[in-house]
Amino acid sequence: MTTIRDVARRAGVSVATAARALGDYGYTSPRTRQRVLRAARALDYHPNAIARSMIKGRTQTLAVVVSDNANPFFASVVRGIEDAVLGQGYAIILCNADEDPAKEALYLRAIRQKRVDGLVISPSGGPGGLLRGLMASGIPIVQVDRRLARLPADAVVVDNRAGVRAAIEHLVRLGHRRIGLLGGPRRLYTGRERLQAYLAAMREARLPVADGWVLEGTFKEASGHALVGRFLRLRRRPTAIVVANNLMTIGALLALKEAGVRIPEEMAVVGFDDMDWAPILTPPLTAIAQPARDLGAAAGVLLLERVTGAFAGRPRTVVLQPRLVVRESCGTRAAPSWAYTEQESRGPTA
Amino acid sequence: MTTIRDVARRAGVSVATAARALGDYGYTSPRTRQRVLRAARALDYHPNAIARSMIKGRTQTLAVVVSDNANPFFASVVRGIEDAVLGQGYAIILCNADEDPAKEALYLRAIRQKRVDGLVISPSGGPGGLLRGLMASGIPIVQVDRRLARLPADAVVVDNRAGVRAAIEHLVRLGHRRIGLLGGPRRLYTGRERLQAYLAAMREARLPVADGWVLEGTFKEASGHALVGRFLRLRRRPTAIVVANNLMTIGALLALKEAGVRIPEEMAVVGFDDMDWAPILTPPLTAIAQPARDLGAAAGVLLLERVTGAFAGRPRTVVLQPRLVVRESCGTRAAPSWAYTEQESRGPTA
DNA sequence: CGCCGTTAGGAGAACGTTATCACATTCCCC
DNA sequence: GGGGAATGTGATAACGTTCTCCTAACGGCG
């Protein structure tokens, strides 16, 4: 590997001069500058970023920790982060923690040793001791999608409450009163948040939540697939379900299809997180669209402000609004007749 | 940031001794070892990987260049790579080149400066001069999904020919004789490969390829959406189309839905690349499943062998087999009657 | 008692860059 | 023509590790 020393030698100058010419600082006469540049080109010189990091104390590298990059939601978030930081010359180290504290810890240790300039993380839960340690060591952290209870770091999240509320209001407007939730792990921020939003929205709508209408899944496809059966076996089964994330929605829809349950006639479905393929389903899926890419981009911007020192105040929280994309999986706008054929504890006018 | 120097001081030993104790090499008495370890813990010492890289000439970091991590196929590939290398202690720098040579070049330059230990790339095309430069500088490269014509580097690809052939044979078996291709950019390896496979398979099946039956898209959803119209406006339109990647399949299906074209009665569809959501479509989508994650994992393994020096022979090529997942978007197994109502140039027995 | 092998630990060079300081020139102005 | 600023360049010290040499103490053995 050719070093600046080789370049200097070939240009007939000292290392210091070569560095000035290449680094574009200090005095250099145009003539020597040219000579150095020519030599560098001739030798195909590429400065060693490791050595530079050593000296500058900055690596121009950011780390991103998500649970799984193969989940389209996180893939988009990562993409958004990258878009935001590429222009400023930062590269991204991608870490998939799989909601596994051990794996997350492993990655955080590596991240710390690599002296990354900053970190965007969608924390899996846990006490966050390692994150606190990272912060103490001076590495700025931005949380995305999820946040830890008492971690004094910036955060970019989506307004889960508003999203779930919009979905439930939509269902209610269409005449649904028996609405179930296929939720996520309570261990995770998004799982908890969406569950509480569901409970609050149901309360607001003065709708009862019967036993078995709230299920706790794993945010994975298999769990959506497995749990739908429980809804179907219920004596008083919900006429509509809200599924708390994209993967579980796939599983749930598959299970409903296998069971021959018609959507929305026998079961209305609204998914959290809109996907490319939502419109091509039959019926097209009504979904709570999360601005995943913007989420990432915002996180990237906040992080950059910290990294460059442009901002050094107290932790900030950015809340992005989701958007209910109404398609056809909850029924037509007019309230379906069947919704009123059964006696509910409260009539429509109550 | 605490350094090994601080640890040594606190333990009352020299830097050399501290290094031996922490690095687990050379002689150290159990007692001093304990003292050093305790000091390191007390000071929350995390070795500086930058400095270590400097000395060792290895960064324990790999780079991955794909066109777009937000495309589920590449997201899975990346995931596969990560799975393969995490165990060996390597981190991954993710680069989205967007098929943009300038962006790719930008990243390759950064990668080179960062002295990454190896590179997995899904090359966008172009002359590959930069890649050759990287190789010349001693960085092992593995190509994945796509490959450059004359680049002497390992490659892991899918058997595109076999995949397309299986799809077309399947269609033929179901009675289709007018089969179109919604292809990808000829500029890209996969685009070319799948086009040629289509042509070869049609020739083998002794089926004609009429004007307008072969379209060149961009591998993006919008292009699938836009181009389907061309098929539909054709006087002699195909009864079946093969769509050359996942994103274009979504666009195509959406356009067909909007146009009210029934699948498979009016148009059979088989997509390249199976997706999670393929089974929940109506009808469920028949697709050529690519082992995306395995593709990545294999690339990771090959790269690791190069990086560690376990293998140093001539460039290898791993070809993974795709699998046709038959669902219902091409019609039932029994040849549909309508397929024979029109006169073809060649009868079924010819 | 001297020699040698073993055990333990320290000094210091190296990795490749950046950046500070010092040292020359040259030039200008009073 | 001399002092001082402006201009150009070189020497060299960092940055934090790793690792090769050295040195020293000690015990065993001839």
Side-chain angles (χ1 to χ4, degrees), chain A residues 228 232 241 251-261 263 267 269:
Chain A
V228 157
L232 298 181
I241 56 172
L253 291 173
L254 185 57
L256 290 172
K257 191 179 191 93
E258 289 167 356
V261 175
I263 300 172
M267 179 74 85
V269 176

Side-chain angles (χ1 to χ4, degrees), chain B residues 165-220:
Chain B
R165 194 185 323 121
I168 289 184
E169 284 174 0
H170 173 65
L171 288 167
V172 169
R173 216 173 304 128
L174 294 180
H176 291 280
R177 342 215 82 240
R178 290 153 57 168
I179 303 173
L181 175 75
L182 183 33
R186 289 200 227 287
R187 185 169 58 84
L188 300 181
Y189 172 81
T190 40
R192 281 195 306 275
E193 203 72 358
R194 290 167 197 176
L195 167 61
Q196 284 169 21
Y198 162 83
L199 294 174
M202 291 296 275
R203 202 165 39 235
E204 266 179 50
R206 299 172 187 284
L207 293 178
V209 175
D211 264 8
W213 286 8
V214 175
L215 264 30
E216 178 173 348
T218 63
F219 273 160
K220 300 205 183 120

